[in-house]
Amino acid sequence: MKLWGGRFTKETNELVNNFNASISFDQKFYRHDIIGSIAHAKMLGAKGIISEEECKQIQEGLEGILSDIENRQLTITDEYEDIHTFMEATLIQRIGNAGKKLHTGRSRNDQVALDMRLYIRDEVKNVDEEIKHLMNCILRIMKEHVETYMPGFTHLQKAQPVTIAHHFGAYYEMFLRDRSRLFDIYKRMNYCPLGSGALAGTTYPLDRTMTAKLLNFEGPMLNSMDGVSDRDYVIEFLSALATMMVHLSRFSEEICIWNCNEYRFIELDDAYSTGSSIMPQKKNPDIAELVRGKTGRVYGALISILTTMKGIPLAYNKDMQEDKELTFDAIDTVKGCIKLFAGMIDTMKFNSKRMEDSAKKGFINATDAADYLVKKNVPFRDAHSYVGQLVLKCIEKDIALDELSLDEYKKVCPVFEDDIYDAISLKTCIEKRLTTGAPGPEMMRQVIQHYEELDAHFLT
Ligand code: ARG
């Protein structure tokens, strides 16, 4: 069924019909389309553009369609071009002439702009809800592991000691910023395009403030050409999702490393790992690998919308129909990834002993040995060189800095005394790291408390 057959004398080519149609994917909008149409009808009624009775019939008709779709009494079929056509045709079938008045002062251009905005607005909240849950899992782990020591790495080489709480806290910070990005996007996008018409508004006395209010927007968009053409919020949302995937993918990579046979820092739960069809010993971190892999898909959606939008002159052009499929896929992918990732880390076990043993090896206290000399008035550059010589000695003997005799220390620099051993013990190295943001347990507990008090100003 077509809404625009009047000026045509020939049937549309069948391939054109298929190529042009969006109902296979924009049927996801059915609820938003109905909510938007009800707001539009109420406003038309209030302004006397349609009668009170027609307004009531339209509203009841649309509510009936909504409940029938949700109860599976009504199926959205692909004989229609898009969800908007399906809704209007179904309404007219059900209520007759009043249904033909719904589209007064409206175009599919502002209708689809509204539906997409309502849909994305909901999904911004849904994604926020998922990250919030993930962050609660991270915070639980942080609270339990303020004093579980592990090596911190740079260049994938042991660098300085940290704790599990500190390492996970880094991701907590990233996800916190992700949430604040969603919050910003929500605020910026929360203006209503309905009433923009095809591009140039309309001569009917529409009350755009009323429809904006009915649909919980801050107000109407103030330029009707922009109203039908803006997809910035889709770009912003996909960019925020892509950034989230950067974070999830880095975290996944670490899970894979920590899980590998050489590290064995963690044990993944059986429910969140998979086996091999040929190698019976295998227990693979497929969830982490898939999250890492699906990152590419989400980047793809971002690049796709950026490229689609870059050459479109004002106002609406059909290119913009391409804003949907990859965006929907990216949103579902990200929500799935966050949920699975949260389940995986929430059930995994830490091999704290191995992590601590690993932190004891690899000279991660070398900076602290240099700092020991600095506190005794040796200039840092000299201290760095003395400790470098000591490390070389240890490598030759295959021992740790703590195992070197005081004599050997003194041979390199006479300033060393017996208290060097306490100064470079793992416990001291961690506990004394108390600068803001450092892993020292006392500082970490303050940061955790700050996180627990923080939440209120976000979306969910
Ligand atoms: N399916 C279209 C889209 O997704 C709806 C708007 C159609 N408007 C038009 N003038 N053909 O963008």
Side-chain angles (χ1 to χ4, degrees), residues 281-317:
Q281 82 281 16
K282 283 288 184 115
K283 185 173 155 185
N284 299 328
D286 286 28
I287 299 304
E289 290 171 10
L290 270 174
V291 170
R292 196 176 56 189
K294 283 176 190 286
T295 302
R297 249 162 109 144
V298 179
Y299 293 180
L302 172 62
I303 297 298
S304 162
I305 183 80
L306 283 168
T307 314
T308 295
M309 293 306 296
K310 83 174 181 60
I312 305 182
L314 293 180
Y316 180 85
N317 292 259

Side-chain angles (χ1 to χ4, degrees), residues 173-226:
E173 283 280 321
M174 294 177 226
F175 293 128
L176 202 56
R177 288 195 295 274
D178 287 332
R179 289 194 69 198
S180 85
R181 257 184 283 278
L182 293 179
F183 184 71
D184 290 346
I185 293 168
Y186 191 96
K187 268 195 312 190
R188 202 166 17 255
M189 70 173 286
N190 200 21
Y191 291 87
C192 187
L194 186 61
S196 296
L199 76 162
T202 170
T203 53
Y204 296 104
L206 303 188
D207 183 346
R208 293 194 57 211
T209 304
M210 177 181 171
T211 38
K213 221 181 233 158
L214 285 172
L215 295 164
N216 285 322
F217 286 103
E218 282 296 313
M221 293 177 76
L222 293 183
N223 183 296
S224 60
M225 288 180 91
D226 183 51

Side-chain angles (χ1 to χ4, degrees), residues 133-299:
H133 170 67
L134 169 62
M135 289 172 75
N136 285 338
C137 298
I138 296 175
L139 199 58
R140 196 262 306 152
I141 292 168
M142 288 172 70
K143 283 198 258 181
E144 283 171 20
H145 292 285
V146 170
E147 297 191 51
T148 311
Y149 305 149
M150 66 179 286
F153 297 83
T154 62
H155 313 273
L156 264 185
Q157 309 214 23
K158 289 181 196 177
Q160 290 180 342
V162 295
T163 61
I164 292 181
H166 192 246
H167 199 121
F168 274 61
Y171 286 103
Y172 194 91
E173 283 280 321
M174 294 177 226
F175 293 128
L176 202 56
R177 288 195 295 274
D178 287 332
R179 289 194 69 198
S180 85
R181 257 184 283 278
L182 293 179
F183 184 71
D184 290 346
I185 293 168
Y186 191 96
K187 268 195 312 190
R188 202 166 17 255
M189 70 173 286
N190 200 21
Y191 291 87
C192 187
L194 186 61
S196 296
L199 76 162
T202 170
T203 53
Y204 296 104
L206 303 188
D207 183 346
R208 293 194 57 211
T209 304
M210 177 181 171
T211 38
K213 221 181 233 158
L214 285 172
L215 295 164
N216 285 322
F217 286 103
E218 282 296 313
M221 293 177 76
L222 293 183
N223 183 296
S224 60
M225 288 180 91
D226 183 51
V228 291
S229 307
D230 170 35
R231 298 293 184 274
D232 294 5
Y233 63 97
V234 182
I235 295 173
E236 283 193 57
F237 187 37
L238 286 174
S239 160
L241 294 181
T243 309
M244 263 169 231
M245 290 306 289
V246 176
H247 298 153
L248 281 174
S249 185
R250 293 182 77 177
F251 209 166
S252 295
E253 172 66 11
E254 303 215 82
I255 300 286
C256 294
I257 293 173
W258 294 346
N259 180 64
C260 81
N261 303 61
E262 280 65 29
Y263 275 72
R264 280 187 289 117
F265 279 7
I266 52 164
E267 173 80 28
L268 293 175
D269 195 76
D270 276 2
Y272 282 87
S273 341
T274 53
S276 155
S277 61
I278 177 168
M279 297 168 281
Q281 82 281 16
K282 283 288 184 115
K283 185 173 155 185
N284 299 328
D286 286 28
I287 299 304
E289 290 171 10
L290 270 174
V291 170
R292 196 176 56 189
K294 283 176 190 286
T295 302
R297 249 162 109 144
V298 179
Y299 293 180

Side-chain angles (χ1 to χ4, degrees), residues 104-115:
T104 313
R106 188 174 70 166
S107 154
R108 274 187 300 166
N109 298 352
D110 60 342
Q111 192 176 358
V112 77
L114 173 67
D115 290 3

Side-chain angles (χ1 to χ4, degrees), residues 4 20-22 25-26 29 81-84 107-109 112 231 316-324:
W4 39 261
N20 191 44
S22 53
F25 49 89
D26 67 15
F29 285 156
E81 179 183 338
D82 54 27
I83 189 67
H84 325 296
S107 154
R108 274 187 300 166
N109 298 352
V112 77
R231 298 293 184 274
Y316 180 85
N317 292 259
K318 197 63 176 257
D319 320 38
M320 286 157 82
Q321 182 164 289
E322 286 296 308
D323 65 353
K324 296 176 193 59

